[in-house]
Amino acid sequence: MTLHIVGAGGFGRETLDAVRAAAAAPEVVFVDEHPAAATVDGCPVLLPGQLAASDGQRDEFVVAIADADARRRLARACEDRGLRATTVIDPRAVVSPGARIGRGCVVLGQAFISTGAVLGAHVQVNYQASIGHDTVLEDVVTILPGANIAGNVTIGAGATVGSNAAVLQGRRIGPSVMVGAAALVTRDVAAGQLVVGVPARVRVR
C-alpha cells in the first residue's frame, strides 16, 4: 500500500512527520501541482498527471493543503483515480474513543479532540489545537495551530479558524467563514464572513 500525500508544502511535510511517527509507516509519495523538487524529505514528488489509476492494491491518499476549494478538487481527482481517502492521526495527538473522525482527516501532534466530537471529511486539525465535546466540524474545515474550540460548537464546511483563536461554547460558525488569528468568537457568525479581534467582529474582506 502506498500513501499519497497531496501537497508537498509545509503542511504536507508536517503530515509526513505524523505518518512517520506511527509504529508502522507506509510507503509515501507526494503529489503536487507545482513541485519545487523531485523529492521532498526522501519521498518522490509526482505531478497529478503522473498519478496512475489504482490497481486495487489499496492505495490511499490524504490532501494536505489548507485551501478548502483546492482540497475538495484534489480529493475528487484522487477518488476518480480509484484511490481511497485515509485518515492521518499523529500518535502524539489525544483523540477520545467517543469522537468520530471522517475520511481524509489530518490531526497533528498535541491536538486534543474530546468525546462526542464529529469531524467531517478532509478536516485538518493542527498542532496543539483543541476540539471540545460534541463539537461538529463539517467537511474541509481547517483548525490552525493552538486554536481552542469549546464544546457543542458547529463549524460549517470550508471554514477556517486561525492560530490561537477561541470559539466559545455553543457558537455556530457558518460555511466558508474565516476566523482571524487570536480572535475570540463570542456570538454566531454567518456564512462567508471574516471575523477578527476580541471580541470577534465582522471585517469586510
Side-chain angles (χ1 to χ4, degrees), residues 14-197:
E14 290 174 337
T15 300
L16 176 63
D17 288 344
V19 171
R20 287 177 168 171
E27 178 185 355
V28 172
V29 299
F30 284 104
V31 180
D32 198 283
E33 294 180 301
H34 306 286
T39 62
V40 171
D41 288 354
C43 300
V45 183
L46 305 178
L47 290 165
Q50 296 174 303
L51 189 59
S54 175
D55 61 2
Q57 299 301 311
R58 295 175 49 246
D59 283 353
E60 296 179 332
F61 78 93
V62 65
V63 182
I65 294 173
D67 180 84
D69 290 338
R71 208 182 312 166
R72 289 188 185 98
R73 174 174 58 82
L74 290 165
R76 285 194 299 268
C78 288
E79 289 167 350
D80 288 346
R81 296 288 184 129
L83 274 66
R84 181 181 61 157
T86 191
T87 296
V88 172
I89 301 177
D90 192 303
R92 294 161 292 195
V94 177
V95 178
S96 167
R100 287 189 290 150
I101 311 296
R103 60 189 176 85
C105 290
V106 178
V107 180
L108 294 186
Q110 299 178 322
F112 175 80
I113 299 176
S114 189
T115 187
V118 178
L119 277 60
H122 307 292
V123 168
Q124 296 175 355
V125 180
N126 276 260
Y127 292 108
Q128 297 182 328
S130 61
I131 311 300
H133 65 84
D134 304 306
T135 280
V136 176
L137 307 182
E138 297 181 355
D139 295 351
V140 294
V141 163
T142 303
I143 308 297
L144 292 175
N148 186 330
I149 314 301
N152 199 33
V153 168
T154 299
I155 299 182
T160 296
V161 179
S163 297
N164 297 313
V167 180
L168 295 189
Q169 180 98 3
R171 297 302 92 206
R172 300 291 181 265
I173 292 177
S176 302
V177 164
M178 176 66 198
V179 176
L184 173 63
V185 178
T186 61
R187 60 182 67 185
D188 294 353
V189 182
Q193 293 186 328
L194 166 65
V195 294
V196 298

